[in-house]
Amino acid sequence: MTTNPPEHTGRRDLDPHLARYAARTAGMTASEIRALFAVASRPEVVSLAGGMPNLAALPLDSLSTQVGEIIAEDGLVALQYGSAQGVPVLREQICEVMAMEGIAAHSDDIVVTVGSQMGLDMVTRLFCDPGDVVLAEGPSYVGALGSFAAYQAKVVHVVMDEAGLVPEALREALAAAERAGERVKFLYTIPNFHNPAGVTLAVERRAEILAICRTHGVLVVEDNPYGLLGFDGQTYPALRSLDPDNVVYLGSFSKTFASGLRVGWVLAPHAVREKLVLAAESATLCPPTFNQMIVSRYLATHDWVGQIKTFRENYRERRDAMLSALEQYLPPGCSWTHPDGGFYVWVTVPEGVDTKAMLPRAVTARVAYASGTGFYADGFGSRQMRLSYCYPTPERIKEGVRRLAAVLESEMDLMRTFGNVHMRAIPGPETPSPDTA
């Protein structure tokens, strides 16, 4: 018995499952940052794009010994399933970490997550129905924008300046949403050493922003992975410390210890905590016990505060190299932020230069950055780029900026000769591929 082949309609879907996907997958797109990794990891390319911590200063010898001890002494626990809420002793230690930023917390209100990204995803899943509004700084963290899109939330960006989120702009955004009949579920904010903008929310603005959100019945989601990495050693009061009942706090050991262990946490008001535990159970059943025990042993036996100081000194040296190189090499008309901590500088280029269109040419010149469009949900950011100084050596940073400046100069020459560079006089892929370097 033979069957006739299906009738050809002239259209061929590369994905035969396309019609089966849920509607929310339409918002799931690859981030521009992820698209860079294939080329940015090449040794000949100076990557100023990714936010990888510099782990060279970690005491790897003693850590390797302790990992072996965990297996030898507690292997039957470390390699077993655990609680969806996280290892109790680690949750108590997390309270001590957060106390450095003024947070008084109980370990029962902490849920350990597989990185703070999981916490952000769970919070969005718990609070956002399709069409709900999330307020976020403009620009904002690309991973957060991905989570919001995946749950079909509408992102409304709120303006920042050199002192962080602008309170009056927040009032205006909330009023506009109310006039339009939209439901604003929460404000997502990175108050300290912002990713990607590199600015810090002024202390005098913090209480005002919290009061605005309370007045409008809007939750605050505080994402704070860089808070202990201030270059002058200063720690700012966490928003959570000022309003425990209306702030969900996201923390992480990725920037202050080891990103590969993927250990983060959520501190939430008690009722929210209950739902977070249920969400964690459905997402992962439980976070990896072994990884949690490594972090816990590190906190208990190492001078982790001194280690953070070492990280701060390393990153400050790299920040200084970045700012010096920008001043030395970038052409007139460029401006940039001056971060007091964290990993990033936010650069604005002259009118007419499109950083997304320029990116393939930069990679060809063996330097990579993150174009600003990836940090907005509304198409803005074409004149901006994020430069990361956390991973390369100061010498590599200087060389990377020198290469970037040459690409910018060439782009501006084209603009002066042929007009607006948005016309893309030199064709190139939307995002770099392994073949563009």
Side-chain angles (χ1 to χ4, degrees), residues 52 55 159 165 191 224 249 292 303 330 353 413 419 421 426:
M52 292 190 301
L55 304 181
V159 172
L165 188 68
N224 190 35
Y249 179 97
Q292 293 178 76
D303 178 14
L330 284 201
V353 177
D413 284 343
V421 178
I426 300 177

Side-chain angles (χ1 to χ4, degrees), residues 276-433:
L276 282 170
V277 172
L278 297 176
E281 288 176 344
S282 68
T284 63
L285 189 62
C286 62
T289 304
F290 184 36
N291 293 16
Q292 293 178 76
M293 291 180 70
I294 293 173
V295 175
S296 179
R297 181 72 68 96
Y298 168 77
L299 294 174
T301 61
H302 286 77
D303 178 14
W304 59 270
V305 175
Q307 184 65 54
I308 289 174
K309 181 180 178 182
T310 299
F311 282 139
R312 287 200 307 259
E313 292 169 351
N314 286 345
Y315 295 138
R316 181 175 59 229
E317 179 186 19
R318 286 162 168 76
R319 185 278 313 265
D320 291 346
M322 173 72 76
L323 294 180
S324 176
L326 293 173
E327 186 68 36
Q328 180 178 357
Y329 292 118
L330 284 201
C334 297
S335 61
W336 50 87
T337 56
H338 292 70
D340 295 322
F343 285 6
Y344 308 107
V345 171
W346 186 244
V347 176
T348 299
V349 299
E351 185 74 40
V353 177
D354 184 334
T355 60
K356 184 175 180 179
M358 186 179 76
L359 185 53
R361 273 90 79 182
V363 173
T364 299
R366 296 172 299 151
V367 61
Y369 60 85
S371 68
T373 53
F375 302 96
Y376 285 90
D378 51 14
F380 283 86
S382 62
R383 282 185 59 200
Q384 281 76 40
M385 65 178 82
R386 188 192 73 177
L387 302 183
S388 172
Y389 51 77
C390 50
Y391 189 76
T393 63
E395 293 74 23
R396 292 277 284 174
I397 290 170
K398 182 176 181 180
E399 174 59 19
V401 174
R402 187 192 67 79
R403 296 176 187 179
L404 177 61
V407 175
L408 258 176
E409 292 277 13
S410 176
E411 205 80 356
M412 293 169 67
D413 284 343
L414 283 172
M415 184 175 64
R416 285 188 288 266
T417 303
F418 298 107
N420 200 322
V421 178
H422 285 279
M423 297 176 65
R424 298 187 183 182
I426 300 177
E430 288 294 314
T431 53
S433 73

Side-chain angles (χ1 to χ4, degrees), residues 85-130:
Q85 192 170 353
V87 172
V89 65
L90 177 60
R91 288 190 279 117
E92 292 172 0
Q93 292 167 312
I94 287 171
C95 289
E96 298 174 11
V97 173
M98 292 189 296
M100 296 183 68
E101 295 178 289
I103 297 175
H106 194 286
S107 61
D108 286 350
D109 291 327
I110 292 171
V111 179
V112 178
T113 56
V114 184
S116 61
Q117 181 69 31
M118 175 185 168
L120 178 58
D121 188 86
M122 291 194 306
V123 169
T124 309
R125 174 152 57 109
L126 289 180
F127 284 99
C128 289
D129 291 314

Side-chain angles (χ1 to χ4, degrees), residues 145-191:
L145 298 181
S147 286
F148 304 151
Y151 291 104
Q152 299 172 283
K154 174 185 175 182
V155 176
V156 174
H157 288 295
V158 183
V159 172
M160 286 190 295
D161 60 19
E162 65 278 1
L165 188 68
V166 177
E168 190 54 40
L170 177 60
R171 288 191 182 91
E172 292 172 0
L174 287 164
E178 290 170 359
R179 288 194 301 269
E182 297 174 322
R183 296 193 304 174
V184 178
K185 286 300 182 70
F186 57 79
L187 166 68
Y188 170 76
T189 179
I190 308 171

